[in-house]
Amino acid sequence: MKKSLLLASMAVALMTSAQGNINPRALWQEGGKITAPKAQVKAVQPKAESSMWFGYCSDPYTLVGAGSYYCTAAMEIPASTAAGFAGCKIDGFRLVFKTAAVSSATLFVGNSLTSVPTNTQTISLALNSTNWQEYTLSNPVTIDGTSPIYIGFGYQGVSGEYPIVFDGMTNSDNLGAWLGLGSNFAGCFGYFDSYTSSYGNVCIQAHITGDFPEVNTYISAVTVDRDRVKPNTAFDATVTIANMGTTDVTSVSVDYTIGDGATQTYVFNTPSAAPLKFTETTFFTLSGLTVPGYGEYPIKVTLNKVNGNTVDDSSAQVDVVGTISNNPRMMVVEEVTSIGCGYCPVGIIGLEYMKEHYGDQFIGIGVHGTGLGYDPMVSPSYQTMDYYVSGYPSCLTNRNNSYATYPSAYYLLDSYTTYFKDAYAAADLTIDAEWTTQEKSGVKVSTSAVFDLDHASSDYRWAYVVIENQVGPYNQSNYYNGTSGYGDWSTAGSSVSWLFDEVGRNISAFWGTQGSVPSAITSGTPYSYSESLDVLDLINYYDEYVEVNPDNIEVIGMLIDYATGEVVTAARIEAADIKPCSDPNAMHYQKILFDSELPGNYPIGTVLTIDATSTSGLPVTIGISSGDEYATLDGNVLTFTAAGNVEITLSQDGNDTYMPATSRTLSFKVLKDQSITWDQDLSNCEIGKSYALTAKASSNLTITYSIKEDTDVAKIQKTSRGTALVFNEAGTVTVVATQEGNATYAPVSMEKVASTQSGVISIDADELADAVLYNLQGLRVNNPQAGRIYIMVSGQKAQKVLVK
C-alpha cells in the first residue's frame, strides 16, 4: 500500500517544462548500497532488544514545488502502536532528506498536533544527501503508551529552488502514517507526482530505547477494495496484523461479524519459515463475504488468540454499504488546459482514450484557463478551477484528493482501475433534458437521485455542465512534435490546428446549487431537481460571443457532497437525446448583432456609427453606460470628445414573443492627442550626402520615416546616430515622419518635401571636354567622379552639373 507524505502550507508552482525530466526509476542510497525506494514501514531489527530504529520513507514520487514557504510534516505513531513502546524513550532521529535548497530543519516530538511539542531541536542538514543523517535528541522523550506520538520536522523553503515537498495524500498504513501540518495543504491534490521522481525520497526514523514487551499483537486495519457492494454478491476483506512484541507470531485466531450476523472464526498461520517478527506487519484475506440487503453493514474483526494463547481483545472494523444503485460510479475528470500550453496535448490524448474505451463510466470536461495567454474557449463560469490546480495540464478527479492524477492516458487509466472499476455509486441517478426554445438557446435539465443510505442531515447539491464537441479549429501549442509515443502529435508540428471536444461552456454553480437536494434523505426515495442553463448567446472570459452549436453539446449532472467537495457520481445526456421544446407558449430566442470590430482604441474626434440590430427585428437600445464625459451619443452616432475610457451598452428587452436578448457592452479607449515638431530644411540637399532626420513627437515616442513615393531618387537609411535621408540623384521627394501611437496616444504623422540643390543639371562625362570643372569648394578638378556635383565653366557661362 502506498505510503505518502503530505503537502503543507505552500503554493505549488509546478512548471510544465519539468515534464521532460521524468525518471520513474529514481533510487536512493542507504549505507552506500543503491536500493529501490521503500514505500512500506521501515523497521530495522535492533542489534539488541534494547534499541531500534522505527519510521517511514515516502514513495519515490514526491511532489516538487518552488518558492519561499515553510513546510512541516510529521510521522504519527498511533496510541495502539505506542502501547508496545510504553516506558521506552525516543533519544534520536535519522533522516534521508534530498534537497539542495534547505540547510537546516527543526525536529520535534509531541503527543498532539495542536499543542506545543514536548521537545524541539534545530539541526543542520547535509545538502543534497542521499544517506541517512543521524541526530541525537538532547532531551529524550518518554513514551507513555496511552497517547499517539508525532515525530516530525519543519524547514524554510528558498525562493526559486526546488526542495522536496509532499504529495498531498493522507493514507495510513500498517503501524503509522505520514501527516501534513499547516492550513494550506488541502488545496494540493498531488496529481503531479510523475514530474518529480528524479528528486528522491523523504525519510524519517526515530531511535527508540528501552525494554520491549514479549507479547503485543493487534489488528491495525480492516479494509475492503470497495466500500459499496451489491447485496448477496461475494467480496473480500483484508485484515492487517501488527506484532509489537519481541515474541515471534506464528498464528492468530480472529472472530468476525457482518452487521447483526452470526460470529465466525478464522485462523491464520504464518509460513513456518517466516514468522511475524517484532515491529513487522502481515495481512490475510476473509473471502466470500456478503451483505443481505442494501444499507450500511459494519464488518468487525476481533483478535482472540496469538500462537494458540488467549490475548486481550484487539478489534477493528470497516463499514460496507449494500448499494441500491445499479449504476457504476462515474469517473469525472475536469482538466485545466490551454491552447498556449505545449504539454496540454497529453491531456487531449488522455481524455480521448478514456472516452473511447471507458465512456460508459468516464466523463471528461476540458476547462480552458487564462494562465498561458489568450484562449477563446475560456468560460467565466468555470474559472473557480484556477484555484484548485497548479500548472497546465492538470485535473481534478471527482474533486477528491485521493483520486488525484495527471491527465495522461496512463495515469487516468490507473486511477480508473484503482478507484472506479467495478465501483458502485452512492445513489442511482437519472437525467433528462428539454430545449427551452425552438431555437435551442437553452436547456432545462431534470435529474433524480435515489440514495442507498438514510441521511438525517446532509448537503448534497446538483451542478449542471454544458460541454461542446468539435469546437474550433484553434491552434494548439505542441511540445511533443519530434517526440515518439504521442500518436499524431509526434509529427503534427509545434502548432496544430485542432477541433476540441469536451469544452466546458457553462456550469450552473461550481459547488452545486444549495437546496437542490433535501438535507434529510430516506434511502430508496427518489429526489428530483430541475434547472435551466443557457446554451446559445454565451460570452467568454474576454467578453466575446461564443458561437455554440447546440447539436454538438452534452449536458452533465454532477451530484456533489458539499461537505467534502467530492463529486459523488454523475450522469450525462447528449444533444440527440434532448427533447424538443414542448411548451407552445415558450418565448423565442433573440440576440444582438453588431460589428465585432467596433471596440478598440480611437483618437479624439472620431465619429462611429453603431449599426446594431436584433435577430428578432426588434429595435436595439444604445446608451453610454460609462465615460459620458469623453463622448457624446446622438441616436446611434458616437463621437469621442476627450481622452478616456468609454463603454456603451446594447440592449433589447424583448416582448410577448421574444425573450430579452443578452445585453452587450462595447468598450472603447479614446487616445490622447500628440503632435510632431520637425524644424528642418531639406530643400537644398547634396546628392550622396547623409542628412539626419530630426522630427520629434510630443509624447517622446519613437518616430519612423518613409518616402511617400515609390522612387529611386532618395532613400531612408539607418545610421549609428538615428535615421537619415540620402539622395541618389537630383530630384524631389516627400518624406513622411510617423508616430504610430500606443495604448495611450493616438497615431500622428507629418510630411516634408526634400529636394537636391537648385540649378543642378545632369551631364555625361564625355560632354565635359571643353569645360573647366571646379568642386563646390572652388578647387579645379581634372578627373571628375560620377555621381558628384561640380561647377562647370564654359566660356563666359558657369553652372552646377551632376556628372553621370
Side-chain angles (χ1 to χ4, degrees):
M1 184 178 291
K2 181 178 178 73
K3 176 59 58 188
S4 303
L5 290 178
L6 268 193
L7 174 75
S9 189
M10 62 171 283
V12 179
L14 289 174
M15 296 184 293
T16 53
S17 60
Q19 193 170 354
N21 298 321
I22 295 173
N23 175 11
R25 291 177 292 278
L27 300 177
W28 64 287
Q29 213 172 9
E30 181 179 357
K33 179 182 177 183
I34 300 289
T35 60
K38 297 174 177 55
Q40 70 279 358
V41 170
K42 173 128 179 58
V44 181
Q45 190 69 9
K47 295 179 180 179
E49 289 186 356
S50 60
S51 67
M52 67 174 296
W53 289 103
F54 185 86
Y56 301 89
C57 279
S58 69
D59 283 344
Y61 303 114
T62 46
L63 191 67
V64 169
S68 297
Y69 51 85
Y70 191 80
C71 185
T72 55
M75 175 184 74
E76 178 193 46
I77 302 178
S80 56
T81 301
F85 294 118
C88 297
K89 293 182 182 294
I90 299 172
D91 61 5
F93 294 87
R94 64 181 184 179
L95 300 174
V96 174
F97 199 79
K98 185 175 184 291
T99 172
V102 178
S103 60
S104 67
T106 299
L107 296 174
F108 60 86
V109 182
N111 298 119
S112 170
L113 296 180
T114 59
S115 60
V116 177
T118 305
N119 194 315
T120 61
Q121 182 172 322
T122 301
I123 61 172
S124 296
L125 297 172
L127 297 184
N128 207 28
S129 173
T130 54
N131 296 301
W132 288 105
Q133 303 168 59
E134 296 186 9
Y135 307 92
T136 299
L137 192 61
S138 55
N139 296 306
V141 175
T142 300
I143 302 172
D144 63 19
T146 62
S147 304
I149 305 167
Y150 299 96
I151 304 167
F153 57 86
Y155 64 86
Q156 180 65 49
V158 179
S159 179
E161 294 289 347
Y162 294 86
I164 292 294
V165 289
F166 314 106
D167 68 1
M169 298 185 183
T170 57
N171 295 344
S172 297
D173 186 24
N174 297 337
L175 305 181
W178 277 105
L179 302 172
L181 310 181
S183 60
N184 297 325
F185 69 85
C188 176
F189 297 100
Y191 29 73
F192 288 109
D193 54 4
S194 61
Y195 279 40
T196 61
S197 56
S198 61
Y199 288 86
N201 297 24
V202 180
C203 305
I204 186 170
Q205 294 180 355
H207 191 252
I208 302 176
T209 60
D211 295 327
F212 304 132
E214 292 185 7
V215 178
N216 182 22
T217 305
Y218 64 93
I219 298 173
S220 64
V222 179
T223 59
V224 290
D225 287 341
R226 298 286 179 262
D227 61 356
R228 279 179 161 74
V229 297
K230 295 297 288 183
N232 301 310
T233 301
F235 64 94
D236 296 338
T238 299
V239 181
T240 301
I241 301 293
N243 180 18
M244 292 303 296
T246 57
T247 300
D248 292 351
V249 174
T250 58
S251 70
V252 295
S253 174
V254 299
D255 292 335
Y256 65 94
T257 57
I258 302 175
D260 296 329
T263 300
Q264 302 180 66
T265 301
Y266 181 84
V267 177
F268 170 72
N269 297 307
T270 65
S272 58
L276 189 64
K277 295 184 177 297
F278 182 39
T279 72
E280 291 183 342
T281 64
T282 190
F283 64 88
F284 56 85
T285 301
L286 302 177
S287 301
L289 308 182
T290 61
V291 297
Y294 72 86
E296 191 168 38
Y297 294 86
I299 301 175
K300 183 176 182 180
V301 183
T302 302
L303 181 68
N304 52 42
K305 290 184 179 181
V306 175
N307 294 345
N309 300 313
T310 302
V311 296
D312 294 337
D313 287 349
S314 169
S315 300
Q317 77 174 45
V318 63
D319 294 330
V320 175
V321 175
T323 182
I324 197 172
S325 173
N326 291 312
N327 290 342
R329 186 177 183 201
M330 296 298 290
M331 180 179 180
V332 180
V333 172
E334 296 166 289
E335 181 213 7
V336 175
T337 183
S338 170
I339 61 174
C341 165
Y343 291 115
C344 287
V346 75
I348 295 174
I349 297 170
L351 265 62
E352 284 183 342
Y353 176 86
M354 293 300 296
K355 184 177 182 180
E356 178 182 355
H357 292 85
Y358 305 99
D360 291 341
Q361 203 177 347
F362 178 84
I363 294 174
I365 303 172
V367 182
H368 288 253
T370 61
L372 292 174
Y374 175 78
D375 187 327
M377 292 173 281
V378 179
S379 167
S381 64
Y382 236 129
Q383 285 310 287
T384 303
M385 279 283 288
D386 279 346
Y387 297 101
Y388 296 97
V389 297
S390 299
Y392 290 19
S394 8
C395 63
L396 305 184
T397 303
N398 288 62
R399 302 186 187 174
N400 184 314
N401 299 17
S402 299
Y403 310 146
T405 186
Y406 179 68
S408 68
Y410 175 85
Y411 286 103
L412 290 174
L413 178 58
D414 180 66
S415 182
Y416 166 78
T417 303
T418 303
Y419 301 110
F420 295 92
K421 187 175 183 292
D422 301 325
Y424 289 96
D428 218 6
L429 305 187
T430 58
I431 186 169
D432 199 2
E434 178 179 323
W435 297 112
T436 56
T437 65
Q438 301 297 333
E439 298 86 357
K440 301 180 180 180
S441 63
V443 63
K444 181 180 180 181
V445 191
S446 301
T447 48
S448 179
V450 181
F451 293 83
D452 52 21
L453 292 178
D454 293 343
H455 297 278
S457 179
S458 64
D459 194 356
Y460 289 98
R461 302 181 180 189
W462 281 107
Y464 298 122
V465 183
V466 173
I467 65 174
E468 184 184 7
N469 299 311
Q470 298 295 288
V471 177
Y474 298 111
N475 289 332
Q476 171 67 55
S477 294
N478 176 31
Y479 292 166
Y480 298 106
N481 183 51
T483 303
S484 61
Y486 294 92
D488 292 341
W489 293 90
S490 295
T491 57
S494 59
S495 181
V496 181
S497 181
W498 193 256
L499 287 171
F500 293 81
D501 289 335
E502 288 94 32
V503 176
R505 289 302 201 184
N506 195 6
I507 184 169
S508 58
F510 186 78
W511 292 115
T513 301
Q514 185 176 8
S516 53
V517 179
S519 60
I521 293 172
T522 302
S523 62
T525 301
Y527 295 95
S528 300
Y529 180 71
S530 296
E531 194 166 335
S532 295
L533 284 85
D534 290 332
V535 174
L536 300 182
D537 212 22
L538 297 178
I539 298 172
N540 70 10
Y541 179 82
Y542 306 97
D543 197 36
E544 300 168 337
Y545 265 121
V546 172
E547 295 292 341
V548 176
N549 183 344
D551 295 329
N552 286 346
I553 73 159
E554 298 177 29
V555 180
I556 298 161
M558 299 191 302
L559 183 62
I560 297 173
D561 183 351
Y562 186 76
T564 63
E566 182 177 354
V567 176
V568 176
T569 191
R572 72 174 159 210
I573 185 170
E574 297 181 353
D577 297 319
I578 298 177
K579 298 174 183 176
C581 179
S582 61
D583 183 1
N585 299 315
M587 303 288 284
H588 286 274
Y589 161 78
Q590 64 167 329
K591 72 175 182 179
I592 295 172
L593 305 176
F594 62 94
D595 184 352
S596 61
E597 296 183 359
L598 274 175
N601 299 341
Y602 293 91
I604 296 171
T606 301
V607 178
L608 298 178
T609 301
I610 312 298
D611 290 325
T613 60
S614 68
T615 54
S616 65
L618 297 173
V620 174
T621 300
I622 306 172
I624 297 179
S625 51
S626 175
D628 56 2
E629 66 268 41
Y630 310 122
T632 61
L633 182 66
D634 184 7
N636 66 337
V637 177
L638 181 66
T639 303
F640 299 125
T641 58
N645 296 317
V646 177
E647 289 184 347
I648 66 170
T649 299
L650 312 179
S651 59
Q652 212 305 305
D653 295 334
N655 58 14
D656 293 340
T657 303
Y658 287 93
M659 65 178 63
T662 299
S663 62
R664 295 306 312 273
T665 298
L666 308 186
S667 299
F668 305 89
K669 185 164 188 177
V670 188
L671 302 173
K672 293 181 179 180
D673 286 333
Q674 63 172 323
S675 60
I676 293 177
T677 302
W678 195 1
D679 298 326
Q680 185 177 18
D681 184 5
L682 298 173
S683 63
N684 197 28
C685 297
E686 182 179 341
I687 295 172
K689 185 176 180 180
S690 177
Y691 292 88
L693 299 175
T694 61
K696 291 184 178 180
S698 59
S699 62
N700 290 321
L701 297 174
T702 302
I703 297 284
T704 59
Y705 299 91
S706 62
I707 294 177
K708 191 173 183 179
E709 302 86 359
D710 183 11
T711 177
D712 294 329
V713 171
K715 62 183 178 183
I716 301 293
Q717 68 178 22
K718 293 291 184 180
T719 70
S720 59
R721 296 183 178 180
T723 306
L725 173 69
V726 179
F727 274 91
N728 301 316
E729 58 186 64
T732 300
V733 295
T734 300
V735 182
V736 183
T738 302
Q739 208 308 298
E740 297 179 351
N742 59 12
T744 303
Y745 288 95
V748 66
S749 63
M750 182 177 183
E751 296 182 358
K752 184 174 289 288
V753 176
S755 60
T756 53
Q757 294 173 331
S758 60
V760 178
I761 63 171
S762 297
I763 192 167
D764 292 326
D766 57 8
E767 300 178 28
L768 301 174
D770 297 330
V772 178
L773 297 180
Y774 298 89
N775 63 22
L776 298 180
Q777 286 74 38
L779 300 177
R780 183 166 178 167
V781 176
N782 295 321
N783 298 303
Q785 298 180 22
R788 292 197 173 182
I789 297 175
Y790 299 94
I791 299 173
M792 183 180 73
V793 178
S794 179
Q796 298 298 317
K797 184 179 180 181
Q799 63 187 62
K800 291 180 181 178
V801 296
L802 171 67
V803 179
K804 292 192 288 184

